[in-house]
Amino acid sequence: MKKVYGSIILDTAFRYLIPFILLYGVYVLLHGEYSPGGGFQAGAILGIAFVLDGLVQGKKAILRITGETAVIIAGIGTFLYCFVGILSMLSGGNFLEYSLLPIPMNDVEKHVWGILGIETGVCICVMFTIIAIFYALVGKEE
Amino acid sequence: MSGLMLIAILLVIMIITSVLALFLKDLLAAIILFSVFSYFAVLIYLALGSPDVAFTEAVIGVISTTYFITTLRKLKRGSS
Amino acid sequence: MSRILASVAIVLMCLLLFSTTNGLPVLFDANSPASTHVTPRYIEKSHEETGSPNFVTAVLADYRGYDTLGETTVIFTAGLATAALLMASKKKSNRMKGGKDK
């Protein structure tokens, strides 16, 4: 994996595929309430895009981080999930009670924004877990 | 009941695939049989009526096959 | 000898599982306890309480949000353990070569 694969088909095809994969991943995340989807599926699809980039380009990948950094960012994603719950506890309610979030909307829309915040946290956690395992596997060449 | 008959046929094919993956000498063929097993799990989840779980299993099948082939290439072992 | 023991254990486990799945309700049954007490409340009230037409996401993220937090923690811990295991073996092999350390 020190050099580009050297095959014209792979070098050309992945440049056409990656924008569509990223767009579809963000679509599945934001439409989690209307069609089958949600946080876990969107995180896996976005993780696949970065793994494809790392496989074909090697050292010149656009997100070349170690496994330790990726695990730290996955922890930030899980903390974002808890932060939505703590935010509703600071306004005087139970943990993850969406009716008391401090945003200026009416009651039903607060539930929608709470669900969106939760799914974003899950998406970041799953995406960076997949990237962390891939870069720990490929890691330093000897 | 055609719903239960379809699930029974898919389960039998899944068992045959997974038992066959244990007895192969070529590791690359065993990895491909893992991927086929994951595909039949997607069909069973669809026959049981849950598209969310089927979608997730399809994506995870792709990711786990990628990890297996990367590991195989790093170890440079084609058959055992 | 150990193969015979393993085969006997597998056969006993299979018999145990087959005999306990007789107690579950029939698939796609409309009179099971889960379909008569819990499901009508979720189907009728999920659109006006949570504002999302998809009630799988509403159950997973609103009515049972705490379980989804536990599942996310399990995924994060599994990724952390796998990454730590894979990176530890690389560091050991670099250390045994001798030469300059950073």
Side-chain angles (χ1 to χ4, degrees):
Chain A
M1 249 201 62
K2 285 200 178 73
K3 58 184 194 324
V4 180
Y5 267 115
S7 149
I8 285 284
I9 297 177
L10 278 173
D11 283 345
T12 310
F14 94 100
R15 291 173 207 273
Y16 285 102
L17 276 176
I18 285 193
F20 288 104
I21 298 177
L22 288 174
L23 185 67
Y24 187 57
V26 177
Y27 168 81
V28 162
L29 171 64
L30 293 177
H31 282 73
E33 306 162 2
Y34 290 97
S35 62
F40 298 100
Q41 290 90 329
I45 290 177
L46 290 174
I48 277 184
F50 284 104
V51 164
L52 176 64
D53 191 28
L55 273 176
V56 177
Q57 280 194 321
K59 278 204 189 307
K60 297 189 220 149
I62 203 157
L63 190 72
R64 177 83 190 175
I65 54 181
T66 57
E68 302 160 354
T69 316
V71 158
I72 291 176
I73 304 180
I76 290 180
T78 310
F79 178 69
L80 191 67
Y81 191 121
C82 297
F83 183 67
V84 169
I86 293 180
L87 205 62
S88 77
M89 232 161 68
L90 290 177
S91 312
N94 299 322
F95 189 61
L96 286 175
E97 188 172 339
Y98 298 138
S99 305
L100 299 168
L101 283 179
I103 47 178
M105 304 221 175
N106 67 353
D107 189 29
V108 177
E109 291 186 9
K110 280 188 189 177
H111 280 260
V112 171
W113 277 95
I115 290 180
L116 190 63
I118 277 189
E119 302 285 358
T120 306
V122 171
C123 169
I124 293 178
C125 173
V126 172
M127 173 165 91
F128 277 96
T129 297
I130 289 177
I131 292 176
I133 296 180
F134 178 70
Y135 278 115
L137 198 56
V138 162
K140 286 198 183 291
E141 303 282 331
E142 293 159 29
Chain B
M1 299 209 119
S2 73
L4 289 180
M5 184 66 88
L6 182 68
I7 295 174
I9 292 178
L10 285 174
L11 272 176
V12 166
I13 298 180
M14 211 159 102
I15 290 177
I16 293 177
T17 304
S18 67
V19 167
L20 194 61
L22 284 174
F23 290 113
L24 283 181
K25 299 289 182 199
D26 190 11
L27 281 180
L28 196 58
I31 289 174
I32 293 180
L33 279 179
F34 270 129
S35 176
V36 168
F37 177 86
S38 165
Y39 175 71
F40 277 112
V42 170
L43 291 181
I44 289 181
Y45 289 141
L46 275 179
L48 285 168
S50 58
D52 272 353
V53 186
F55 192 6
T56 309
E57 173 72 27
V59 178
I60 298 293
V62 169
I63 289 178
S64 87
T65 306
T66 302
Y67 284 158
F68 276 134
I69 294 188
T70 304
T71 309
L72 197 65
R73 198 183 150 89
K74 252 183 103 60
L75 292 177
K76 294 186 175 50
R77 291 209 295 171
S79 63
S80 75
Chain C
M1 177 61 188
S2 64
R3 285 197 181 193
I4 298 176
L5 274 180
S7 311
V8 164
I10 288 178
V11 165
L12 278 179
M13 190 70 183
C14 280
L15 285 177
L16 187 68
L17 285 175
F18 286 157
S19 69
T20 49
T21 48
N22 268 336
L24 290 175
V26 184
L27 206 57
F28 308 129
D29 190 16
N31 291 330
S32 59
S35 299
T36 47
H37 295 292
V38 180
T39 309
R41 162 72 198 259
Y42 284 156
I43 294 180
E44 288 164 14
K45 297 249 183 100
S46 90
H47 187 64
E48 62 197 38
E49 281 182 3
T50 61
S52 81
N54 184 13
F55 33 84
V56 174
T57 300
V59 168
L60 200 69
D62 192 348
Y63 289 112
R64 299 271 174 181
Y66 196 56
D67 298 340
T68 308
L69 176 65
E71 182 176 346
T72 308
T73 306
V74 166
I75 288 181
F76 171 62
T77 309
L80 177 67
T82 307
L85 203 63
L86 286 171
M87 287 192 299
S89 63
K90 283 194 205 319
K91 276 189 196 151
K92 205 176 290 182
S93 75
N94 274 338
R95 212 180 288 147
M96 274 162 61
K97 270 196 183 131
K100 287 196 196 145
D101 286 330
K102 283 206 188 122

